[in-house]
């Protein structure tokens, strides 16, 4: 399948959930976070578990428990979230999983590489703190 930048629904949900948790500043349950985002609590729970295993979130038990950031929002980049859910962002020049071109150089290669670099640079330099402040 041809794709410029892979971003699954789980990754989109994960990025938004991380911003909601950063804004909250205190633990939030998966169900409360799902309600804020209007997404499936079951799907969000799986995403939050992955982010917890990646060390980006902590899960706290008890009446005031829930999920919270594992470190300051200024120390978590959107790239950290992306890579925890998708793996490394591709930086090659091909849209396909395996090259199909028979040409020496792909006609779209420069555009593909340029867009992927822009996305990588944005995710690398943008922290959760930046994302929270942009949303206000």
């Amino acid at each position: 399948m041809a794709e410029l930048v892979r971003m699954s629904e789980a990754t989109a949900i994960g990025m938004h959930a991380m911003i909601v948790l950063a804004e909250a500043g205190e633990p939030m349950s998966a169900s409360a976070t799902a309600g804020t985002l209007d997404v499936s609590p079951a799907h969000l729970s799986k995403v939050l578990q992955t982010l917890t295993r990646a060390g980006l979130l902590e899960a706290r038990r008890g009446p005031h428990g829930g999920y919270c950031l594992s470190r300051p929002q200024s120390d978590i980049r959107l790239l950290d979230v992306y890579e925890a859910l998708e793996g490394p962002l591709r930086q090659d020049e091909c849209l396909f999983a395996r090259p199909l071109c028979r040409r020496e150089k792909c006609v779209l290669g420069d555009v593909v590489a340029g867009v992927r670099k822009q996305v990588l640079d944005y995710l690398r330099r943008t922290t959760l703190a930046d994302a929270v402040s942009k949303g206000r």
Side-chain angles (χ1 to χ4, degrees):
M1 177 206 282
E3 59 186 16
L4 192 54
V5 175
R6 176 174 171 71
M7 185 168 300
S8 65
E9 182 176 0
T11 299
I13 289 170
M15 290 217 185
H16 285 83
M18 291 292 286
I19 293 166
V20 166
L21 292 169
E23 288 174 328
E26 61 185 23
M28 276 183 77
S29 69
S31 61
T33 307
T36 300
L37 296 172
D38 195 24
V39 299
S40 159
H43 192 184
L44 179 64
S45 288
K46 290 178 185 177
V47 171
L48 296 177
Q49 289 169 8
T50 300
L51 294 170
T52 300
R53 282 193 301 274
L56 299 174
L57 292 176
E58 291 179 6
R60 296 186 181 165
R61 296 183 184 269
H64 300 289
Y67 289 92
C68 60
L69 302 181
S70 63
R71 54 188 195 257
Q73 56 184 261
S74 58
D75 292 347
I76 300 174
R77 302 168 302 149
L78 293 182
L79 184 61
D80 300 327
V81 180
Y82 180 92
E83 289 182 338
L85 295 163
E86 293 287 351
L89 182 65
R90 284 179 58 185
Q91 288 298 293
D92 59 87
E93 299 177 348
C94 188
L95 286 169
F96 299 98
R98 60 181 176 81
L100 300 178
C101 295
R102 295 186 179 168
R103 309 169 117 255
E104 189 172 316
K105 184 154 174 68
C106 178
V107 175
L108 299 174
D110 291 341
V111 171
V112 172
V115 169
R116 287 179 177 161
K117 182 177 179 345
Q118 282 186 307
V119 171
L120 178 65
D121 290 346
Y122 178 80
L123 295 176
R124 183 180 285 142
R125 76 172 177 269
T126 306
T127 66
L128 290 179
D130 298 329
V132 167
S133 69
K134 285 180 184 177
R136 290 190 175 148

